[in-house]
Amino acid sequence: MLATDYFEQSDAPAPAGATVAPRAAGLAGTPEDKAMLRAAADLTRDIARARPEIYWPDMLVSAGLGYAALGLAIATALRGGNWGVVVALGVFSALALYRALLFIHELTHMHRDALPGFRFVWNLVVGIPVLMPSFMYEGVHALHHSRIRYGTAEDPEYLPLALMKPWSLPVFTLTALLLPIGLLVRSAVLVPLGVIVPPLRKLVWERASSLSINPAFVRRKPEGAFARMVFWQELGASVWAWTVLAWSATHGWLPLAIALCVISLAALLNQVRTLVAHLWENEGEQMSVTGQYLDSVNVPPPGVWGALWAPVGLRYHALHHLLPSMPYHSLGECHRRLRAHLGLQSTYERANYPGLFPLLARLVRSTMGARPKA
């Protein structure tokens, strides 16, 4: 869905080229900047095709490097080698697998005919081995991009983190470390039990089958072709989980422990990235597309680290909310075109930030601010 889709669906009246309110507060009342939405659609049509020559090597090489480094880390540990080397290899593995895993985000926006076989291979190579099949994000992330759901209680990927207590940030961040253990328990224990205990199956699907951060989110029952896809992905993940546990029980638990630590680090990186993906200042009100854009974050060049902690185009997260179906490899060029066309004093520029740490500091300061009394 491109910006024109949002533009045409928006029923909030606003004059062409309308300016927007400051981004600090009241974004729910932000009128549409129609000039920006038009430019986002019109200037980028020619680069909106997913290029297989980029997607396939990027995903496969990232996964291959991640698994190779993980294998070397495990082999070094089993031989009694230097644990500094083990840690270094583990960090490299986490970064590479983190990049490979984030292609799940691309899958949620990709047209089914765009890259034949890509979803299947990604699940086979990345999603099932990490116990995070694509169904855990597909059908969920789209709700986050809904014009009427973004930032509301029905958004599975939104919490007003900037308005919560200071302790909420470390708790939110560190819970990511438990993700791989939770995924292992889910696939090895809860899903198989759900086959013979239907109420458990219903509970697991509604509450533990989506990559979401909103604890109030309840997932709807899958239907049709999607339900069949879920069945096969669930079966693959459960068989893999049993295989890993059986092998570890007979050959030793150290390889599994190292693998869990690597995935925990990747999950932690993603949770930190999530903290700065938005400003998190909305308290449940519907927002215009321009308001959603200003509540989101770009960390464009010249900063070099953004490509590491927000890979696969996620350093352009605000731009992604204008152009959700734009392939990740085109977002940098989209950004350059819009910036040149709209200018440095435009609404577009207001969602661009210099880096990770200033954004984290801003979020922390917001949680420590005074709260109005009810």
Side-chain angles (χ1 to χ4, degrees), residues 36 293 298 319 335 338 342 346-352:
M36 179 179 70
Y293 172 78
N298 290 329
L319 176 56
H335 171 75
L338 286 171
L342 296 171
S346 67
T347 300
Y348 181 78
E349 191 64 22
R350 296 183 183 184
N352 295 322

Side-chain angles (χ1 to χ4, degrees), residues 160-241:
L161 293 170
L163 308 178
M164 297 171 75
K165 299 294 184 181
W167 55 262
S168 63
L169 295 185
V171 170
F172 176 84
T173 305
L174 295 177
T175 51
L177 296 174
L178 301 176
L179 178 64
I181 295 176
L183 292 173
L184 186 59
V185 172
R186 182 191 182 280
S187 290
V189 180
L190 297 180
V191 169
L193 280 178
V195 174
I196 58 177
V197 184
L200 176 62
R201 171 60 180 166
K202 182 175 183 291
L203 178 64
V204 170
W205 176 257
E206 291 179 345
R207 294 291 189 172
S209 297
S210 58
L211 299 176
S212 59
I213 65 172
N214 182 353
F217 177 66
V218 177
R219 192 168 191 182
R220 295 179 179 177
K221 182 180 178 180
E223 299 177 347
F226 184 68
R228 291 190 290 273
M229 185 183 77
V230 169
F231 171 81
W232 289 110
Q233 290 183 11
E234 290 269 45
L235 179 61
S238 290
V239 169
W240 175 249

Side-chain angles (χ1 to χ4, degrees), residues 1 48-52 54-56 59 102-120 122 138 141 312 320 324-329:
M1 184 180 289
R49 182 182 68 88
R51 297 174 60 185
I54 295 178
Y55 271 84
W56 283 101
M59 185 270 287
L102 283 183
F103 276 91
I104 196 174
H105 179 256
E106 291 295 300
L107 289 175
T108 66
H109 293 287
M110 188 184 298
H111 190 276
R112 66 173 64 90
D113 300 324
L115 293 175
F118 191 83
R119 176 177 283 98
F120 175 79
W122 182 88
E138 294 184 273
H141 182 61
V312 196
H320 169 67
S325 63
M326 184 63 61
Y328 78 98
H329 54 69

Side-chain angles (χ1 to χ4, degrees), residues 3-307:
T4 47
D5 300 316
Y6 284 121
F7 176 82
E8 291 163 358
Q9 291 173 14
S10 175
D11 51 13
T19 57
V20 298
R23 66 181 175 225
L27 289 177
T30 303
E32 296 289 18
D33 186 332
K34 295 187 178 182
M36 179 179 70
L37 300 184
R38 290 287 190 196
D42 294 343
L43 296 176
T44 61
R45 296 184 192 280
D46 62 315
I47 52 175
R49 182 182 68 88
R51 297 174 60 185
E53 69 272 21
I54 295 178
Y55 271 84
W56 283 101
D58 193 346
M59 185 270 287
L60 292 173
V61 170
S62 297
L65 290 174
Y67 290 135
L70 176 59
L72 286 174
I74 291 171
T76 302
L78 291 175
R79 291 198 306 266
N82 189 309
W83 275 91
V85 174
V86 174
V87 171
L89 287 167
V91 170
F92 181 87
S93 176
L95 289 170
L97 289 177
Y98 174 47
R99 183 177 184 88
L101 275 165
L102 283 183
F103 276 91
I104 196 174
H105 179 256
E106 291 295 300
L107 289 175
T108 66
H109 293 287
M110 188 184 298
H111 190 276
R112 66 173 64 90
D113 300 324
L115 293 175
F118 191 83
R119 176 177 283 98
F120 175 79
V121 173
W122 182 88
N123 276 292
L124 194 65
V125 173
V126 182
I128 288 176
V130 183
L131 303 180
M132 206 179 301
S134 61
F135 79 80
M136 300 191 79
Y137 211 42
E138 294 184 273
V140 174
H141 182 61
L143 301 177
H144 178 58
H145 283 274
S146 167
R147 187 179 64 83
I148 62 174
R149 288 189 176 90
Y150 175 91
T152 71
E154 296 181 2
D155 185 343
E157 296 182 51
Y158 200 96
L159 286 174
L161 293 170
L163 308 178
M164 297 171 75
K165 299 294 184 181
W167 55 262
S168 63
L169 295 185
V171 170
F172 176 84
T173 305
L174 295 177
T175 51
L177 296 174
L178 301 176
L179 178 64
I181 295 176
L183 292 173
L184 186 59
V185 172
R186 182 191 182 280
S187 290
V189 180
L190 297 180
V191 169
L193 280 178
V195 174
I196 58 177
V197 184
L200 176 62
R201 171 60 180 166
K202 182 175 183 291
L203 178 64
V204 170
W205 176 257
E206 291 179 345
R207 294 291 189 172
S209 297
S210 58
L211 299 176
S212 59
I213 65 172
N214 182 353
F217 177 66
V218 177
R219 192 168 191 182
R220 295 179 179 177
K221 182 180 178 180
E223 299 177 347
F226 184 68
R228 291 190 290 273
M229 185 183 77
V230 169
F231 171 81
W232 289 110
Q233 290 183 11
E234 290 269 45
L235 179 61
S238 290
V239 169
W240 175 249
W242 298 335
T243 302
V244 167
L245 290 173
W247 191 94
S248 299
T250 55
H251 293 78
W253 296 95
L254 183 59
L256 178 58
I258 293 174
L260 291 175
C261 288
V262 166
I263 302 304
S264 287
L265 179 55
L268 180 63
L269 285 170
N270 187 62
Q271 201 80 327
V272 171
R273 180 198 62 80
T274 299
L275 284 176
V276 298
H278 298 286
L279 301 185
W280 307 111
E281 294 176 345
N282 193 51
E283 293 190 275
E285 299 178 77
Q286 290 185 9
M287 305 174 73
S288 66
V289 178
T290 302
Q292 294 177 27
Y293 172 78
L294 291 174
D295 189 45
S296 305
V297 168
N298 290 329
V299 186
V304 297
W305 298 109

